[in-house]
Amino acid sequence: MKKITVLLSVLVLALGILAAGCGGGDKKEEKKPAAAPAVKEELIVGTEPSFAPFEFPEKDSKEFTGFDMDLIRAIAKEMGYKKCTIKNMGFDALIPAINAGNIDVSIAGFSITEERKKQVIFSQPYYKSGLAFVVRKDVNDVKKFEDLKGKTIAVQLGTTGALYGEKLKDKGSVVKTFNTSDLACMELKNKGADAVISDLPVLQYFLKNGGSEYAKLAGEPLTAEDYGIVISKKNPELAKGIDKALDALKKNGTYDKLYEKWFGSKPAK
Ligand code: ARG
């Protein structure tokens, strides 16, 4: 009798566990994500930090600083990430890294273009920019873009400025391509180039911080371009999250505060 009782209770117990493991368990799992707050571990961001005042090395530190850096850190915080890690890569390596899943997003003064939109998702625009060019101070015969024919022009690889420079190639100009924006400007200083085509706010910052000793703006701005944060097409949810966070930061004044910190004025409405 005793044996039978023990056997029976074991059986009942086993059945109970089995039942819990089936139907009951599923329900628990369904509820879990809704109940738990969305704490996300880490947002991995790629950038090319030779692009002050958007991304550049912070003095006496291993960190990167700039408008983009502050903005993406604020976005990560707003989205509930515990950590925002910023990786330094070549500008032309950023979109491939997004598509390979090596980084989650890229913020790098990326202009929103139709060509890039075929490969990635852009967030809503976060900064109004555009191309312009500087020439060496001793170059006095360049008043407009067309005057760059026959000159040597330095650009950064993979940028809209590099693409714009291509227009001059069949006009007898030499276009020299560099891995970083800093190296393109250095070429001007070393008299290896007559002009640099780049983004206007970056050229303005460069002139203000020593560049005006050997360079000057010439001609009118060449284009109007909007910057967007880059996300993989495989991750539309992340893109939505970034846009939502940007909306929140625009609404709560954080965006304006960062804009003023880096550009000294409120963004044009
Ligand atoms: N706005 C330009 C582009 O999208 C230049 C961006 C360069 N960015 C950088 N971090 N170096 O092509």
Side-chain angles (χ1 to χ4, degrees):
M1 256 319 253
K2 222 180 180 184
K3 256 192 195 163
I4 291 174
T5 323
V6 171
L7 218 83
L8 263 173
S9 31
V10 168
L11 210 81
V12 167
L13 216 87
L15 272 172
I17 290 170
L18 230 101
C22 296
D26 278 352
K27 261 187 209 149
K28 249 188 222 154
E29 258 168 47
E30 260 171 39
K31 272 189 193 150
K32 220 181 185 177
V39 181
K40 295 170 228 132
E41 282 304 319
E42 187 182 20
L43 184 70
I44 301 178
V45 180
T47 196
E48 192 293 300
S50 73
F51 212 59
F54 295 93
E55 42 268 333
F56 59 106
E58 179 148 31
K59 231 179 149 233
D60 305 320
S61 155
K62 285 195 213 95
E63 301 286 327
F64 300 122
T65 187
F67 178 67
D68 283 355
M69 302 294 94
D70 280 352
L71 187 63
I72 199 69
R73 287 184 184 117
I75 287 172
K77 203 169 150 205
E78 176 68 32
M79 290 175 78
Y81 284 97
K82 280 201 221 154
K83 204 170 153 200
C84 177
T85 302
I86 295 173
K87 287 193 178 174
N88 173 359
M89 14 182 80
F91 187 72
D92 64 327
L94 290 167
I95 288 184
I98 292 254
N99 286 332
N102 296 336
I103 53 177
D104 297 320
V105 300
S106 175
I107 187 162
F110 256 107
S111 302
I112 301 174
T113 69
E114 289 310 313
E115 205 46 44
R116 288 173 180 159
K117 274 206 243 171
K118 288 181 196 155
Q119 304 172 58
V120 290
I121 307 179
F122 277 103
S123 71
Q124 58 170 296
Y126 70 85
Y127 184 86
K128 281 192 187 311
S129 188
L131 294 173
F133 65 99
V134 292
V135 294
R136 247 186 13 249
K137 248 186 162 172
D138 59 305
V139 174
N140 291 315
D141 54 350
V142 176
K143 304 282 178 233
K144 53 186 187 311
F145 184 71
E146 289 68 33
D147 297 337
L148 287 175
K149 60 175 184 288
K151 303 274 184 208
T152 301
I153 297 123
V155 295
Q156 183 182 14
L157 182 68
T159 60
T160 50
L163 217 59
Y164 207 91
E166 298 273 311
K167 293 187 190 186
L168 291 162
K169 270 197 171 160
D170 55 2
K171 303 242 163 34
S173 306
V174 176
V175 179
K176 289 189 179 173
T177 306
F178 294 88
N179 282 331
T180 72
S181 173
D182 292 339
L183 283 172
C185 291
M186 194 75 86
E187 190 69 2
L188 198 77
K189 187 176 187 179
N190 297 338
K191 302 208 169 183
D194 304 303
V196 173
I197 306 175
S198 185
D199 296 23
L200 180 61
V202 171
L203 292 173
Q204 283 169 332
Y205 187 94
F206 153 75
L207 290 174
K208 241 191 184 163
N209 291 277
S212 62
E213 273 172 40
Y214 54 92
K216 60 186 180 191
L217 273 172
E220 296 293 313
L222 304 171
T223 61
E225 298 175 11
D226 283 325
Y227 291 168
I229 297 164
V230 183
I231 307 110
S232 165
K233 287 205 176 188
K234 287 178 211 137
N235 214 343
E237 284 309 310
L238 179 61
K240 267 189 219 150
I242 299 256
D243 272 342
K244 241 178 93 186
L246 261 168
D247 280 339
L249 297 178
K250 284 183 176 172
K251 224 172 171 175
N252 71 17
T254 306
Y255 175 88
D256 282 13
K257 224 171 73 194
L258 294 179
Y259 196 102
E260 265 195 278
K261 169 179 168 190
W262 289 102
F263 307 109
S265 63
K266 284 209 160 56
K269 283 275 140 75

Short mmCIF file of all heavy atoms in Angstrom, two decimals, residues 140-187:
data_model
loop_
_atom_site.label_atom_id
_atom_site.label_comp_id
_atom_site.label_asym_id
_atom_site.label_seq_id
_atom_site.Cartn_x
_atom_site.Cartn_y
_atom_site.Cartn_z
N ASN A 140 44.31 83.79 -55.52
CA ASN A 140 43.46 84.98 -55.66
C ASN A 140 42.58 84.99 -56.91
O ASN A 140 41.81 85.91 -57.11
CB ASN A 140 44.31 86.24 -55.59
CG ASN A 140 44.86 86.44 -54.18
OD1 ASN A 140 44.13 86.29 -53.19
ND2 ASN A 140 46.14 86.70 -54.08
N ASP A 141 42.71 83.92 -57.72
CA ASP A 141 41.94 83.92 -58.96
C ASP A 141 40.71 83.00 -58.89
O ASP A 141 40.14 82.63 -59.90
CB ASP A 141 42.84 83.51 -60.14
CG ASP A 141 43.55 82.19 -59.89
OD1 ASP A 141 43.51 81.68 -58.73
OD2 ASP A 141 44.15 81.65 -60.83
N VAL A 142 40.29 82.64 -57.68
CA VAL A 142 39.10 81.79 -57.54
C VAL A 142 37.99 82.57 -56.83
O VAL A 142 38.07 82.84 -55.64
CB VAL A 142 39.41 80.49 -56.76
CG1 VAL A 142 38.15 79.67 -56.55
CG2 VAL A 142 40.45 79.66 -57.52
N LYS A 143 36.99 82.95 -57.59
CA LYS A 143 35.87 83.72 -57.03
C LYS A 143 34.60 82.86 -56.97
O LYS A 143 33.69 83.15 -56.20
CB LYS A 143 35.58 84.96 -57.89
CG LYS A 143 36.79 85.86 -58.08
CD LYS A 143 37.05 86.73 -56.83
CE LYS A 143 38.29 87.57 -57.01
NZ LYS A 143 39.25 87.41 -55.91
N LYS A 144 34.55 81.85 -57.85
CA LYS A 144 33.39 80.95 -57.87
C LYS A 144 33.85 79.53 -58.19
O LYS A 144 34.99 79.33 -58.60
CB LYS A 144 32.36 81.45 -58.88
CG LYS A 144 32.90 81.69 -60.27
CD LYS A 144 31.86 82.32 -61.17
CE LYS A 144 32.31 82.42 -62.62
NZ LYS A 144 33.63 82.98 -62.85
N PHE A 145 32.93 78.56 -58.00
CA PHE A 145 33.28 77.15 -58.16
C PHE A 145 33.97 76.86 -59.50
O PHE A 145 34.97 76.17 -59.55
CB PHE A 145 32.02 76.29 -58.01
CG PHE A 145 32.29 74.81 -58.05
CD1 PHE A 145 32.94 74.19 -57.00
CD2 PHE A 145 31.90 74.05 -59.15
CE1 PHE A 145 33.20 72.82 -57.03
CE2 PHE A 145 32.15 72.69 -59.19
CZ PHE A 145 32.80 72.07 -58.13
N GLU A 146 33.45 77.44 -60.58
CA GLU A 146 33.99 77.19 -61.92
C GLU A 146 35.46 77.59 -62.03
O GLU A 146 36.20 77.03 -62.84
CB GLU A 146 33.17 77.93 -62.99
CG GLU A 146 31.77 77.37 -63.24
CD GLU A 146 30.83 77.57 -62.06
OE1 GLU A 146 30.96 78.61 -61.36
OE2 GLU A 146 29.97 76.70 -61.84
N ASP A 147 35.86 78.55 -61.21
CA ASP A 147 37.27 79.00 -61.25
C ASP A 147 38.23 77.93 -60.72
O ASP A 147 39.45 78.09 -60.80
CB ASP A 147 37.44 80.28 -60.41
CG ASP A 147 36.64 81.44 -60.96
OD1 ASP A 147 36.30 81.42 -62.17
OD2 ASP A 147 36.33 82.37 -60.19
N LEU A 148 37.68 76.86 -60.16
CA LEU A 148 38.54 75.79 -59.64
C LEU A 148 39.08 74.91 -60.77
O LEU A 148 39.86 73.99 -60.51
CB LEU A 148 37.79 74.93 -58.62
CG LEU A 148 37.52 75.57 -57.25
CD1 LEU A 148 36.66 74.66 -56.40
CD2 LEU A 148 38.84 75.87 -56.53
N LYS A 149 38.65 75.16 -61.99
CA LYS A 149 39.14 74.32 -63.09
C LYS A 149 40.66 74.49 -63.23
O LYS A 149 41.19 75.60 -63.14
CB LYS A 149 38.41 74.60 -64.40
CG LYS A 149 38.49 75.98 -64.96
CD LYS A 149 37.80 76.00 -66.32
CE LYS A 149 37.92 77.35 -67.00
NZ LYS A 149 37.13 78.41 -66.40
N GLY A 150 41.31 73.33 -63.37
CA GLY A 150 42.77 73.34 -63.48
C GLY A 150 43.48 73.37 -62.13
O GLY A 150 44.70 73.24 -62.06
N LYS A 151 42.72 73.51 -61.05
CA LYS A 151 43.35 73.58 -59.72
C LYS A 151 43.40 72.18 -59.08
O LYS A 151 42.75 71.24 -59.56
CB LYS A 151 42.52 74.49 -58.80
CG LYS A 151 42.35 75.89 -59.33
CD LYS A 151 43.50 76.78 -58.95
CE LYS A 151 43.25 78.21 -59.40
NZ LYS A 151 44.51 78.93 -59.67
N THR A 152 44.13 72.09 -57.98
CA THR A 152 44.18 70.84 -57.22
C THR A 152 43.28 70.96 -56.00
O THR A 152 43.38 71.93 -55.25
CB THR A 152 45.63 70.53 -56.78
OG1 THR A 152 46.43 70.44 -57.96
CG2 THR A 152 45.72 69.23 -56.02
N ILE A 153 42.37 69.99 -55.86
CA ILE A 153 41.35 70.08 -54.81
C ILE A 153 41.47 68.88 -53.89
O ILE A 153 41.60 67.74 -54.34
CB ILE A 153 39.94 70.13 -55.45
CG1 ILE A 153 39.82 71.39 -56.30
CG2 ILE A 153 38.84 70.12 -54.41
CD1 ILE A 153 39.47 71.10 -57.71
N ALA A 154 41.41 69.13 -52.58
CA ALA A 154 41.47 68.05 -51.59
C ALA A 154 40.08 67.79 -51.02
O ALA A 154 39.33 68.74 -50.73
CB ALA A 154 42.44 68.41 -50.47
N VAL A 155 39.73 66.51 -50.89
CA VAL A 155 38.41 66.12 -50.36
C VAL A 155 38.57 64.90 -49.46
O VAL A 155 39.62 64.25 -49.47
CB VAL A 155 37.41 65.76 -51.51
CG1 VAL A 155 37.09 66.97 -52.36
CG2 VAL A 155 37.96 64.63 -52.38
N GLN A 156 37.52 64.59 -48.69
CA GLN A 156 37.53 63.36 -47.87
C GLN A 156 36.81 62.24 -48.60
O GLN A 156 35.70 62.43 -49.13
CB GLN A 156 36.88 63.59 -46.50
CG GLN A 156 36.95 62.32 -45.64
CD GLN A 156 36.28 62.46 -44.28
OE1 GLN A 156 35.54 63.39 -44.02
NE2 GLN A 156 36.58 61.51 -43.41
N LEU A 157 37.43 61.07 -48.58
CA LEU A 157 36.91 59.88 -49.25
C LEU A 157 35.46 59.57 -48.85
O LEU A 157 35.13 59.57 -47.67
CB LEU A 157 37.80 58.69 -48.87
CG LEU A 157 37.48 57.33 -49.50
CD1 LEU A 157 37.77 57.36 -50.99
CD2 LEU A 157 38.30 56.24 -48.82
N GLY A 158 34.63 59.32 -49.84
CA GLY A 158 33.26 58.85 -49.57
C GLY A 158 32.27 59.94 -49.20
O GLY A 158 31.12 59.63 -48.90
N THR A 159 32.69 61.20 -49.22
CA THR A 159 31.79 62.28 -48.80
C THR A 159 31.07 62.91 -50.00
O THR A 159 31.48 62.74 -51.15
CB THR A 159 32.58 63.39 -48.07
OG1 THR A 159 33.57 63.91 -48.98
CG2 THR A 159 33.27 62.86 -46.84
N THR A 160 30.05 63.69 -49.69
CA THR A 160 29.35 64.42 -50.75
C THR A 160 30.29 65.46 -51.36
O THR A 160 30.17 65.78 -52.53
CB THR A 160 28.09 65.11 -50.19
OG1 THR A 160 28.44 65.84 -49.00
CG2 THR A 160 27.01 64.10 -49.84
N GLY A 161 31.23 65.96 -50.56
CA GLY A 161 32.23 66.90 -51.08
C GLY A 161 33.11 66.24 -52.13
O GLY A 161 33.44 66.86 -53.16
N ALA A 162 33.48 64.98 -51.91
CA ALA A 162 34.29 64.23 -52.88
C ALA A 162 33.51 64.06 -54.18
O ALA A 162 34.05 64.21 -55.28
CB ALA A 162 34.68 62.88 -52.29
N LEU A 163 32.23 63.76 -54.03
CA LEU A 163 31.37 63.56 -55.20
C LEU A 163 31.24 64.86 -56.00
O LEU A 163 31.30 64.86 -57.23
CB LEU A 163 29.98 63.13 -54.70
CG LEU A 163 29.25 62.09 -55.53
CD1 LEU A 163 30.06 60.81 -55.63
CD2 LEU A 163 27.88 61.79 -54.92
N TYR A 164 31.11 65.96 -55.28
CA TYR A 164 30.97 67.28 -55.93
C TYR A 164 32.27 67.62 -56.67
O TYR A 164 32.23 68.16 -57.78
CB TYR A 164 30.65 68.35 -54.89
CG TYR A 164 29.88 69.51 -55.47
CD1 TYR A 164 28.49 69.52 -55.48
CD2 TYR A 164 30.55 70.61 -56.03
CE1 TYR A 164 27.78 70.58 -56.02
CE2 TYR A 164 29.85 71.67 -56.59
CZ TYR A 164 28.46 71.65 -56.57
OH TYR A 164 27.77 72.69 -57.11
N GLY A 165 33.39 67.26 -56.07
CA GLY A 165 34.70 67.52 -56.69
C GLY A 165 34.87 66.81 -58.02
O GLY A 165 35.55 67.30 -58.93
N GLU A 166 34.21 65.65 -58.15
CA GLU A 166 34.28 64.87 -59.40
C GLU A 166 33.89 65.71 -60.61
O GLU A 166 34.39 65.51 -61.72
CB GLU A 166 33.31 63.68 -59.34
CG GLU A 166 33.61 62.69 -58.24
CD GLU A 166 34.61 61.65 -58.66
OE1 GLU A 166 34.41 61.08 -59.74
OE2 GLU A 166 35.58 61.44 -57.91
N LYS A 167 32.99 66.68 -60.40
CA LYS A 167 32.51 67.51 -61.49
C LYS A 167 33.64 68.27 -62.18
O LYS A 167 33.49 68.72 -63.30
CB LYS A 167 31.52 68.58 -60.97
CG LYS A 167 30.23 68.02 -60.44
CD LYS A 167 29.29 69.16 -60.13
CE LYS A 167 28.08 68.63 -59.37
NZ LYS A 167 27.08 69.64 -59.16
N LEU A 168 34.75 68.43 -61.43
CA LEU A 168 35.85 69.22 -61.96
C LEU A 168 36.88 68.37 -62.69
O LEU A 168 37.78 68.89 -63.34
CB LEU A 168 36.55 69.96 -60.81
CG LEU A 168 35.73 71.07 -60.15
CD1 LEU A 168 36.32 71.41 -58.81
CD2 LEU A 168 35.69 72.30 -61.05
N LYS A 169 36.73 67.04 -62.56
CA LYS A 169 37.76 66.15 -63.08
C LYS A 169 37.98 66.31 -64.58
O LYS A 169 39.11 66.26 -65.04
CB LYS A 169 37.44 64.70 -62.74
CG LYS A 169 38.04 64.31 -61.39
CD LYS A 169 38.08 62.81 -61.22
CE LYS A 169 38.89 62.44 -59.98
NZ LYS A 169 38.54 61.09 -59.53
N ASP A 170 36.88 66.51 -65.33
CA ASP A 170 37.08 66.66 -66.79
C ASP A 170 37.32 68.13 -67.16
O ASP A 170 37.26 68.51 -68.33
CB ASP A 170 35.91 66.05 -67.58
CG ASP A 170 34.57 66.62 -67.16
OD1 ASP A 170 34.56 67.50 -66.28
OD2 ASP A 170 33.53 66.19 -67.70
N LYS A 171 37.61 68.94 -66.15
CA LYS A 171 37.94 70.35 -66.42
C LYS A 171 39.43 70.59 -66.14
O LYS A 171 39.85 71.71 -65.88
CB LYS A 171 37.10 71.26 -65.51
CG LYS A 171 35.60 71.04 -65.66
CD LYS A 171 34.94 72.30 -66.16
CE LYS A 171 33.56 72.15 -66.73
NZ LYS A 171 32.68 71.15 -66.17
N GLY A 172 40.17 69.50 -66.12
CA GLY A 172 41.61 69.62 -65.93
C GLY A 172 42.03 69.79 -64.49
O GLY A 172 43.19 70.09 -64.20
N SER A 173 41.11 69.60 -63.54
CA SER A 173 41.47 69.71 -62.12
C SER A 173 41.96 68.35 -61.61
O SER A 173 41.62 67.31 -62.16
CB SER A 173 40.26 70.13 -61.29
OG SER A 173 39.70 71.31 -61.81
N VAL A 174 42.76 68.41 -60.56
CA VAL A 174 43.20 67.19 -59.92
C VAL A 174 42.46 67.09 -58.58
O VAL A 174 42.46 68.05 -57.81
CB VAL A 174 44.73 67.22 -59.65
CG1 VAL A 174 45.18 65.99 -58.88
CG2 VAL A 174 45.48 67.35 -60.97
N VAL A 175 41.77 65.97 -58.35
CA VAL A 175 41.07 65.80 -57.08
C VAL A 175 41.84 64.79 -56.22
O VAL A 175 42.01 63.63 -56.62
CB VAL A 175 39.61 65.33 -57.29
CG1 VAL A 175 38.91 65.13 -55.94
CG2 VAL A 175 38.85 66.34 -58.14
N LYS A 176 42.35 65.25 -55.09
CA LYS A 176 43.10 64.37 -54.18
C LYS A 176 42.17 63.95 -53.04
O LYS A 176 41.56 64.79 -52.39
CB LYS A 176 44.30 65.11 -53.58
CG LYS A 176 45.42 65.39 -54.57
CD LYS A 176 46.62 65.94 -53.79
CE LYS A 176 47.80 66.21 -54.69
NZ LYS A 176 48.89 66.89 -53.92
N THR A 177 42.10 62.63 -52.82
CA THR A 177 41.16 62.09 -51.83
C THR A 177 41.91 61.64 -50.58
O THR A 177 42.91 60.94 -50.68
CB THR A 177 40.40 60.90 -52.46
OG1 THR A 177 39.82 61.36 -53.66
CG2 THR A 177 39.32 60.41 -51.54
N PHE A 178 41.40 62.04 -49.41
CA PHE A 178 42.05 61.70 -48.14
C PHE A 178 41.09 60.94 -47.23
O PHE A 178 39.87 61.10 -47.34
CB PHE A 178 42.53 62.97 -47.44
CG PHE A 178 43.62 63.66 -48.21
CD1 PHE A 178 43.30 64.59 -49.21
CD2 PHE A 178 44.95 63.33 -48.01
CE1 PHE A 178 44.30 65.18 -49.96
CE2 PHE A 178 45.96 63.93 -48.76
CZ PHE A 178 45.64 64.87 -49.74
N ASN A 179 41.69 60.12 -46.34
CA ASN A 179 40.87 59.32 -45.44
C ASN A 179 40.14 60.13 -44.39
O ASN A 179 39.09 59.72 -43.92
CB ASN A 179 41.72 58.25 -44.75
CG ASN A 179 41.99 57.09 -45.68
OD1 ASN A 179 41.18 56.81 -46.57
ND2 ASN A 179 43.13 56.46 -45.53
N THR A 180 40.72 61.27 -44.00
CA THR A 180 40.04 62.10 -43.01
C THR A 180 39.94 63.52 -43.53
O THR A 180 40.67 63.93 -44.43
CB THR A 180 40.79 62.13 -41.64
OG1 THR A 180 41.98 62.91 -41.81
CG2 THR A 180 41.15 60.74 -41.15
N SER A 181 39.02 64.25 -42.91
CA SER A 181 38.79 65.64 -43.27
C SER A 181 40.00 66.49 -42.86
O SER A 181 40.39 67.42 -43.56
CB SER A 181 37.51 66.09 -42.57
OG SER A 181 37.30 67.44 -42.74
N ASP A 182 40.60 66.14 -41.72
CA ASP A 182 41.79 66.86 -41.24
C ASP A 182 42.93 66.77 -42.24
O ASP A 182 43.63 67.76 -42.49
CB ASP A 182 42.28 66.27 -39.90
CG ASP A 182 41.30 66.53 -38.77
OD1 ASP A 182 40.49 67.47 -38.91
OD2 ASP A 182 41.35 65.81 -37.76
N LEU A 183 43.13 65.57 -42.81
CA LEU A 183 44.23 65.38 -43.76
C LEU A 183 44.01 66.20 -45.03
O LEU A 183 44.95 66.70 -45.63
CB LEU A 183 44.38 63.89 -44.11
CG LEU A 183 45.06 63.04 -43.04
CD1 LEU A 183 44.99 61.56 -43.41
CD2 LEU A 183 46.53 63.45 -42.84
N ALA A 184 42.74 66.34 -45.43
CA ALA A 184 42.43 67.15 -46.63
C ALA A 184 42.83 68.61 -46.37
O ALA A 184 43.44 69.25 -47.23
CB ALA A 184 40.95 67.02 -46.97
N CYS A 185 42.53 69.10 -45.17
CA CYS A 185 42.87 70.48 -44.82
C CYS A 185 44.38 70.66 -44.68
O CYS A 185 44.94 71.70 -45.05
CB CYS A 185 42.17 70.89 -43.53
SG CYS A 185 40.39 71.04 -43.73
N MET A 186 45.03 69.62 -44.16
CA MET A 186 46.49 69.65 -44.01
C MET A 186 47.17 69.80 -45.37
O MET A 186 48.18 70.49 -45.50
CB MET A 186 46.92 68.33 -43.36
CG MET A 186 48.33 68.31 -42.83
SD MET A 186 48.40 69.26 -41.33
CE MET A 186 47.92 67.98 -40.18
N GLU A 187 46.59 69.17 -46.37
CA GLU A 187 47.16 69.22 -47.72
C GLU A 187 47.19 70.65 -48.24
O GLU A 187 48.09 71.06 -48.96
CB GLU A 187 46.35 68.31 -48.66
CG GLU A 187 46.97 68.07 -50.02
CD GLU A 187 48.26 67.22 -49.97
OE1 GLU A 187 48.65 66.78 -48.89
OE2 GLU A 187 48.84 67.04 -51.06
#
